[in-house]
Amino acid sequence: MGLLAAGIGAGIAAIGAGIGIGMIGKGAVESIARQPEASGDIRGAMILTAALIEGVALIAAIVCILLVFFA
């Protein structure tokens, strides 16, 4: 049962990260289209936020892997 929970947890983490980064990209593209002169600031904020989301997804995947081996 632990293996199933770890697999589901890793899948949900990956899906959540993908959706989140997609929404960030969508918002950044819309913002740049509305205000092109702020593209550098918007792009920097987008990259930082996407990196933080990826970090959280990586931690979730590591926790799921640890569940497989130690649960």
Side-chain angles (χ1 to χ4, degrees), residues 34-56:
R34 289 186 182 142
Q35 199 170 13
E37 63 273 6
S39 65
D41 294 334
I42 294 168
R43 189 177 302 117
M46 178 191 70
I47 291 171
L48 178 65
T49 308
L52 291 173
I53 290 175
E54 282 294 323
V56 170

Side-chain angles (χ1 to χ4, degrees), residues 4-71:
L4 179 64
I8 291 173
I12 290 173
I15 290 170
I19 291 171
I21 292 173
M23 290 176 68
I24 290 169
K26 173 185 171 268
V29 168
E30 288 177 355
S31 298
I32 291 171
R34 289 186 182 142
Q35 199 170 13
E37 63 273 6
S39 65
D41 294 334
I42 294 168
R43 189 177 302 117
M46 178 191 70
I47 291 171
L48 178 65
T49 308
L52 291 173
I53 290 175
E54 282 294 323
V56 170
L58 181 63
I59 290 171
I62 290 171
V63 167
C64 291
I65 290 171
L66 290 175
L67 281 174
V68 169
F69 292 114
F70 297 113

